[in-house]
Amino acid sequence: MEPAVLGGKLASSLVAPLVKKLFVTGGPGAGLVDRPVRLTRLVSFRGEQRHLGEAEVRRLAERLVGASLDSPGEPPFPPDETEAVTDALTVRLLALGDLDMDDVQAVRLGHRELAGQLRRRTPSATGGLSADACYFLDSVTEWACLHILEFFTRRSTFVARTLVEQTRGQAELIAKVDELIARVPRPDARDTAFERRYLPYVAEQHNRITIYGIDLRDSPDRWPLEVAYLSLEATTEEERTAALPGEYADSEHTVRLAAEDALRTRDRVLLRGDAGSGKTTLVQWLAVTTARDGDRVPYVLPLRTLTRAGTLPSPAAFLAAVGCPLTPPEGWAERVLGAGRGLVLVDGLDEIPDAERHRTRDWLRALIRAFPGNRWLLTSRPTAVRADWLAAEGFRELALTPMRQDDVAIFVRRWHAAAEAPEFETRLLDSLRTKRDLARLATNPLMCGLICALHRERRGYLPTGRKELYDAALTMLLARRDRERGMEAVELSEEAQLELLQRLAYALVLSGRTEMDVETAEGIVERALPSVASAAGQGDAATVLRALVLRSGLLRRPGEGTLDFIHRTFQDYLGARYAVEEGHLDVLAGRAGDTQWEDVIRMAVAHARPGERAVLLRRLLAENEPRLTLLALACLEHATALDPAVRADVEARAGELIPPRSKEDAKALAEAGPLVLELLPGPEGLTDTEAHGVTVTASLLAEREPGGALAVLRRFREHPDIEVRRQLVGTWERFDARGYATEVLDHLDRTDLYLTCANGAQRAALGTMRPWSRLEFRGAHGMTDILACVVEPGAVEKLRLKDNPEVTDLGELLAFDSLRHLSVFGCRSARGIGQLAALRLKEVMTIKLADLTGLQELDSLDQLSVAQRLPGTSLTDSLPVEAPLRQLFLGQDTTANAGLRGLSHWAGLEWLALLFTNPLTADDWAEVSRLPLLNTLSLNASLIQDGLGPMATLPGVRTVVLHTPLGTRVDTARIAALFPDAELIQDEP
């Protein structure tokens, strides 16, 4: 029986007075003299002045036991054990006098432990008792102890002495803690205080990107990292665990991930990337974001800096080795790394000599083994170390990939935002899209930054010829970049490097390849060394070639035993330079028909002397071939000095091709290839016809060069001509839906213009644009999807649904409450057209609708076009008899059942098109003749191949449109005789 249950049988009003009698009354005060006050001094049945004897204690026990038996409910134990239970309780109460503790200690124990002490001191008290009696005895003992402790806490001496003891204990504890702090300061407190200074320092120190090698007057060389950082992609080859069903079970597969996520799944990463690919910038980004998050402590360790001292630093010397002005507490770095809280970023393995790399690996291994649990990132150019250089230490290898077109656009926008030069952004993006060699150059952050800086320095214009851009890039990559990064100067001069590189480039150009064997490259270098004085003493051909690969930033090793240029445009530029120096103009002209040589020839014009340029351009014009004429025109950009007669001849010949003056001219021009895009003019100075031709040309080239085509088309997005605007809308499918919508479509004047959606991507892009009043959905689109993508259904006035098998219930179109013109073509499952009567439609066009039931209910129509068989024996059986029709189009097979019976019911018809092939009877013509307001008649020419038959006189017709299928011959003189006062128009498909 729990004390709380027993408490229901023994009221506190009974137990409390009985318990109180067991103890003597204490005096006031804290009782400090008699400390500690033992229970033996408190109980009233011990000592010389005791008030109770054992008999009195037994009577108290009898009262407690008797009260529990007399209470309502089932007795807690058999009544015949009453005397034995009373004796046992007496023994336990008397045991209070034997406890060697004071009242404060008793209270600290709690009532259950105090009762336990009494049980352990009287083990024989329960001898011979039943289980229920023993249980009752234990419960009543706990209940009594609960009231004993309550009695103690109410004594004035207890309260006072408790406060005094607490005060003394706290004072002693504080004194001891103060002494301990004074003797041994807490390392974690000092570490925390230091990290509060160090982490903000790291975040600020590395929150700037520097572009080395730029010395332009108006261009910034540093900007905030968080503004300009671009997330690049990294790839790795990982082993497959198992092949999926139907999947080829190869041993490795490519994994792509954001470069900054490299350390999320692995603690040790070796990141490879070409020169300028963004390795150091990634290190800075990881340092800044980690320092701001505060979950780890970053150490940025550029190896080019660490190796200057001759010895690689221990953790204690990390900060001093990189010039950090902050002094950490002794042992701080080891405590951080020992706790696994470090992020160690080791940058530039390729930037230290070969002899140092073995020592560097030993240093890294020692650190990793001494301090497991931390994260490690090591960066290197691709060929600096072999593939398994750190594989034994569990390093995962990743490779940075070139920037994509979207990445370049983002970089350019962020660069101009950081440089506070937004006015130059759009023009540069257009240049990057239209100038292919320039776009191929912008494949990493380093080159993108250089292009942005040059463009801004020239106030929004790139050089007239791009030679200056390449020269600046080469100077930066071959010499100035390493020098300004604080590295040892390369042993080969810039001119020596150029001489060797251009020979390698020309060999690749001649072979029509972009890769060569390392053995072949070594042979070319070996043959060149005797004539390159500054390189001759630097070692053998293999040593010199290896230095070019590692330090030039222009060569790379894409595979074992192969070599190529990091950018194809550098190969073409350097190959052209060597061809001109060697006087190989005939070779260049002879290869002009090969599109792979276009950029080589253009760069050759840039390198050539004026007389050489004239010879080369005349050779191109002599071929009298449009593509070569346009190539000559493109070369003029690079010809800073040229015979005026030659320049005029090139411009005159090209002027016959550009701008195109018809669709046929545009198609012919597009066949010249993407070179055309950067030559297309406008819109300024062009007629509407020429502007339309330019947009057609750019559209045709979109598949081969989408970026360049987009740059041309976006220039025409504010053109007023309807044909130009229709061309811009009609070519949407050739581009990324969202990008084209943002760059072109959302800027168009929508007057008289339909926008066609043919796929889900276009639907999604539609929701991002300003509302269109005219929409067309072509192909399979669920009605739910259509309604979801139109943000403002009330803005839609004209709607076309074409070849859509998913449209079933036309009643769902009631959501377009402003709809007035509806066309439903080839929607063979569509029904319920009568539900649209509430929209008060003005025009409806239907072809191959599943069911025309309900068409009669559209009594607001003034224009109706039907191209499927009508039910009934009269037109009034299926067409809306109450509608005030002014125009009626009846297509193929429409009148197979009813002919034209009932046509005269719509006396307000002004325009009638009869494009079916069934012959017309006299009754049919009679119906037509009874239309008093009819002034325009369109006829299928097959109706009158043998004459119009019993045709009635139609004096009111002023225009006759004759639709003539291919191969059909019509006697127009006969028609002219029948309609002497009408204009005859032949409409040929």
Side-chain angles (χ1 to χ4, degrees), residues 747-758:
H747 300 267
L748 293 177
D749 174 7
R750 282 127 159 88
T751 304
D752 297 328
L753 201 60
Y754 271 92
L755 180 69
T756 299
C757 288

Side-chain angles (χ1 to χ4, degrees), residues 312-557:
L312 293 166
S314 65
F318 277 178
L319 302 193
V322 296
C324 176
L326 303 178
T327 302
E330 185 177 354
W332 167 74
E334 289 193 13
R335 286 190 292 276
V336 169
L337 295 176
R341 296 196 300 121
L343 171 62
V344 186
L345 304 164
V346 184
D347 186 30
L349 178 62
D350 56 283
E351 297 176 357
I352 59 176
D354 288 346
E356 297 288 335
R357 290 176 190 160
H358 182 76
R359 184 166 62 93
T360 300
R361 180 169 57 180
D362 291 341
W363 171 71
L364 283 167
R365 283 175 172 170
L367 287 173
I368 291 168
R369 291 168 182 173
F371 301 105
N374 296 282
R375 291 182 178 174
W376 306 79
L377 177 73
L378 177 62
T379 72
S380 173
R381 293 192 189 181
T383 57
V385 293
R386 64 178 186 269
D388 60 348
W389 197 70
L390 281 172
E393 305 305 322
F395 272 76
R396 177 195 200 189
E397 291 211 5
L398 295 176
L400 283 175
T401 59
M403 294 169 66
R404 299 176 179 177
Q405 188 177 54
D406 291 343
D407 296 330
V408 173
I410 293 171
F411 182 96
V412 170
R413 293 188 182 101
R414 291 181 179 175
W415 191 98
H416 285 85
E420 299 180 354
E423 65 274 18
F424 302 121
E425 174 189 312
T426 300
R427 193 177 299 173
L428 178 57
L429 286 173
D430 282 349
S431 296
L432 286 168
R433 288 164 177 155
T434 57
K435 301 179 187 301
R436 291 178 299 145
D437 53 349
L438 185 65
R440 285 198 294 268
L441 190 62
T443 57
N444 64 49
L446 178 68
M447 297 310 301
C448 284
L450 173 66
I451 291 169
C452 291
L454 281 171
H455 185 260
R456 183 188 179 210
E457 193 268 344
R458 295 175 178 274
R459 314 307 299 168
Y461 292 92
L462 286 170
T464 303
R466 293 181 208 131
K467 182 176 181 296
E468 186 174 342
L469 173 65
Y470 295 99
D471 287 342
L474 290 170
T475 298
M476 181 179 66
L477 292 172
L478 297 181
R480 299 198 55 217
R481 185 164 181 257
D482 282 348
R483 186 166 63 248
E484 295 178 16
R485 285 157 64 93
M487 297 184 61
E488 297 179 4
V490 292
E491 297 177 352
L492 295 175
S493 68
E494 181 179 343
E495 284 301 320
Q497 292 182 75
L498 282 173
E499 181 63 32
L500 297 174
L501 289 168
Q502 68 184 20
R503 293 181 184 228
L504 294 171
Y506 191 54
L508 285 170
V509 169
L510 284 174
S511 67
R513 301 180 182 274
T514 58
E515 289 185 1
M516 69 169 57
D517 294 338
V518 171
E519 184 178 350
T520 303
E522 289 176 353
I524 294 172
V525 172
E526 185 175 10
R527 289 190 294 274
L529 283 180
S531 60
V532 183
S534 62
Q538 303 301 326
D540 59 13
T543 301
V544 173
L545 180 62
R546 186 161 55 251
L548 281 176
V549 172
L550 287 177
R551 301 302 336 137
S552 72
L554 290 175
L555 292 177
R556 65 181 178 182
R557 297 276 294 275

Side-chain angles (χ1 to χ4, degrees), residues 3-41:
V5 177
L6 184 62
K9 295 179 173 288
L10 296 177
S12 296
S13 60
L14 171 64
V15 178
L18 295 179
V19 169
K20 188 174 182 181
K21 289 181 179 183
L22 295 173
F23 300 94
V24 297
T25 303
L32 301 180
V33 177
D34 289 334
R35 294 184 67 248
V37 182
R38 301 294 176 181
L39 294 187
T40 55
R41 291 173 176 260

Side-chain angles (χ1 to χ4, degrees), residues 128-260:
L129 294 178
S130 66
D132 287 345
C134 290
Y135 188 72
F136 169 79
L137 179 62
D138 290 343
S139 298
V140 78
T141 302
E142 285 191 19
W143 185 245
C145 288
L146 188 63
H147 281 274
I148 288 170
L149 298 185
E150 174 68 16
F151 169 75
F152 287 166
T153 60
R154 297 191 180 206
R155 298 176 69 244
S156 59
T157 56
F158 172 85
V159 175
R161 279 194 304 107
T162 301
L163 293 175
V164 170
E165 286 196 15
Q166 287 179 347
T167 302
R168 285 175 176 170
Q170 290 174 354
E172 290 177 3
L173 180 61
I174 291 172
K176 291 177 180 178
V177 171
D178 287 344
E179 183 180 359
L180 181 62
I181 292 175
R183 288 181 181 178
V184 186
R186 287 168 37 213
D188 59 336
R190 290 184 297 154
D191 291 353
T192 301
F194 175 73
E195 288 172 19
R196 289 197 188 103
R197 299 167 57 211
Y198 174 70
L199 293 179
Y201 165 79
V202 171
E204 179 62 27
Q205 177 72 6
H206 296 285
N207 192 31
R208 295 278 170 177
I209 296 179
T210 300
I211 290 292
Y212 298 96
I214 297 178
D215 56 358
L216 306 176
R217 294 189 307 275
D218 300 323
S219 296
D221 63 347
R222 292 170 64 85
W223 57 84
L225 179 64
E226 65 254 16
V227 174
Y229 179 73
L230 177 69
S231 176
L232 297 179
E233 188 177 71
T235 61
T236 183
E237 299 296 326
E238 292 191 348
E239 294 183 358
R240 288 188 185 273
T241 55
L244 298 174
E247 184 179 45
Y248 179 70
D250 56 348
S251 59
E252 296 182 338
H253 72 295
T254 300
V255 177
R256 297 180 178 271
L257 73 162
E260 64 269 24

